[in-house]
Every structure is written in C-alpha cells, then in structure tokens.
Amino acid sequence: AAVIRIHVLSCGEVGVDPAVPDRGVSANPIAYTGLFRSPKRRIWLPVKAFLIEHPKGRILVDTGWDSEVRTHPVRTLTWPLWCTSKPRLPQGTAVDEQLQALGIQTQDLDYVLMTHMDIDHDSGLRLVKDARRILVSPREWDAFHAGGVRYARRPWRGVVIGKMPLQQDPAAPFGESWDVFADGSVKVLSTPGHTAGSVTIAVTGADGFVLIVGDTGYNRRSWETLCLPGPVQNKQNLHAALAWVARMRRDPHCLAVLAAHDAQEKRTEIDLKEENIG
C-alpha cells in the first residue's frame, strides 16, 4: 500500500517568556510580550514545520525561521518581534536546508500551507517562495494585510500568497474546511482563536489520522487542560478549538497531535497507510 509520510522538521528554537505557552503563569495580561520581564525567565521552545509526502503531492506546513536570523535577527523579525521572540537557527536546520537534505527542491512543493502568519511560522517564506502554491486562510490573509505589531511584512514581500478555498462544512469544528486532494486524506480545518485565521491540517490514512495544529495548543497540556497561551486573538474561539482538539485526541483513531512548539513530541516521522482513501 502507498504511504503518507509526515516529516517533523525541527527548525531551530524560539526564546519567549513562560507566559507565551501558558498565560496563567502571570496575572500580568501582557507578560507574554516579555516587556519589563527579566530575560532570565526566558524559555526556549522548538520551532517546527511539517512536510507531508503524499502520493498525490508534497505539502509543507509552515516555514520556521528565515536563515537570515543567524546574522540579522532584528532586521529579519522587526524590533518589536525580536524583543518578544528570540530566534535560534543552527546551520542545516532552515526549512530549505532540511528539504534539500531529503532530496526535495523547493519548487517541487505542491503546496505551502500556513497554519497562521506569526513570525516564527512565516519567517522562512522567502526560502520556499518558488513552491507551486503558498496559501493562507482568507481570514488570516485579511489580518496580516491589515497590519499591526503582531505581523511582520518582510517575510511575505515578493512572495506570491493565495487564499485557501475554504468551503462550508457542517462537520468541521468551525464550519469551514478544504479537502486538498478531494479524497479526504488531507483537510484544512478552520480553527480560529490564536489568530483570526488559524487553521489545523488533518491527515487521514487507513490506519488513523494526525492533526497538525500549529499554535492551537503549544503542547499536550494545552488541550488536556484547555490552557490558553499568551498570544490570543479570540479567547472564546481558542477555548472551543482546544476543546475540539482534546476530543479528537481521545479518539482511538488519532495517532498524534503535532503542535509547532511541543517539546514533548519527539517523533520525526509518522507514516499512514494510504489505502482505502477515495
């Protein structure tokens, strides 16, 4: 049987205040920004991107850091974002470097699907700009084009970005989805809350399914205890999204929930049998 393989690409780390993955550690509502907080508090979280090798095409989910953060972090991130998110990117771990190590050229990517456009997810867009299609959800498109301190413009300058063709879907957690290959094997599901247009990618095979949730949960504790992170666009939506992830994780067919900053999840590859998919 054909196999759908998910590669977990560890694209460096991000140094943040402990209130980023868990806003409950401080009564200060802006503690997650790190403003007026000691840098000694800083914790380092992995930054992950995900490559889905599917018999019908290759999909990259998120891009991690731009390799320029090694030499010009402030210029690459913008000053406000550099103050809140410190990048680490060892040699060989940028997303294009890892794809090349797998024998994949960036122009061979059928899709780059962005879970959302925070800097540690979209910083590396320049490195994969010659992929066939780079897509974000319509709501995320509107949010990052509206601007604001949370979104840096530099990563997507000169990069052609389109909108995901989300459609109404009563079975989806927020009523919208996109069936990428029109066979149920890879679906993009709207899961707003962390940002206005955050999405989750569900990868399904004959033996179960995997959720790639981006920042809809920073780790297992997030969905098991409905722990909200510091950066939240809509608390009610994110709470509902985390509750949905928790229900899905309890499904015996759920093989994994992959979050972009989960240090507990150590797997680097997950294989799903592709047989019996329509």
Side-chain angles (χ1 to χ4, degrees):
V3 169
I4 304 169
R5 175 163 293 167
I6 302 171
H7 299 266
V8 181
L9 308 178
S10 293
C11 301
E13 295 177 298
V14 58
V16 295
D17 191 273
V20 168
D22 179 3
R23 65 171 41 227
V25 301
S26 174
N28 179 355
I30 62 167
Y32 68 91
T33 66
L35 293 173
F36 313 113
R37 304 266 286 176
S38 170
K40 293 180 180 179
R41 295 176 180 266
R42 189 176 301 140
I43 60 174
W44 290 90
L45 304 176
V47 173
K48 300 180 184 181
F50 306 91
L51 174 67
I52 304 168
E53 288 198 279
H54 189 287
K56 294 182 179 179
R58 294 188 177 103
I59 299 172
L60 179 68
V61 179
D62 292 341
T63 67
W65 294 121
D66 189 331
S67 50
E68 286 191 356
V69 302
R70 295 169 181 151
T71 52
H72 303 290
V74 179
R75 186 178 73 187
T76 306
L77 273 68
T78 75
W79 175 260
L81 292 175
W82 180 80
C83 288
T84 61
S85 303
K86 305 297 187 190
R88 280 181 182 168
L89 186 67
Q91 291 292 329
T93 62
V95 68
D96 60 331
E97 295 166 342
Q98 295 200 56
L99 290 171
Q100 188 173 28
L102 291 169
I104 297 171
Q105 302 301 313
T106 55
Q107 61 265 30
D108 296 330
L109 294 171
D110 294 279
Y111 293 99
V112 176
L113 303 181
M114 302 301 301
T115 62
H116 64 295
M117 296 292 278
D118 277 343
I119 190 64
D120 50 336
H121 295 255
D122 73 358
S123 176
L125 276 171
R126 176 185 67 88
L127 306 177
V128 295
K129 66 180 181 180
D130 54 355
R132 291 170 184 150
R133 281 155 288 192
I134 301 173
L135 303 176
V136 301
S137 75
R139 288 189 182 90
E140 196 71 356
W141 169 281
D142 292 341
F144 76 75
H145 276 93
V149 69
R150 185 167 183 176
Y151 295 106
R153 293 180 177 272
R154 192 169 187 270
W156 46 272
R157 284 178 179 156
V159 180
V160 177
I161 300 175
K163 299 179 186 179
M164 297 170 177
L166 294 173
Q167 298 179 344
Q168 290 187 349
D169 178 358
F174 285 80
E176 290 184 326
S177 73
W178 169 40
D179 190 345
V180 177
F181 295 122
D183 61 6
S185 61
V186 179
K187 293 187 76 171
V188 178
L189 305 166
S190 177
T191 49
H194 178 66
T195 67
S198 292
V199 299
T200 289
I201 289 83
V203 185
T204 301
D207 43 354
F209 66 91
V210 172
L211 298 181
I212 302 174
V213 299
D215 285 359
T216 301
Y218 276 65
N219 50 46
R220 185 185 309 159
R221 182 172 176 268
S222 297
W223 49 85
E224 288 183 349
T225 67
L226 305 186
C227 169
L228 292 181
V232 176
Q233 185 268 336
N234 184 297
K235 291 182 181 179
Q236 183 177 356
N237 282 346
L238 185 51
H239 191 276
L242 286 170
W244 173 79
V245 172
R247 290 195 299 275
M248 293 300 99
R249 189 64 188 98
R250 291 193 293 268
D251 187 317
H253 297 100
C254 183
L255 304 179
V257 173
L258 302 177
H261 304 297
D262 189 354
Q264 296 172 310
E265 176 58 70
K266 303 295 187 182
R267 282 173 287 185
T268 59
E269 288 184 0
I270 298 175
D271 285 351
L272 302 171
K273 294 179 182 177
E274 195 258 351
E275 60 184 341
N276 300 330
I277 294 175

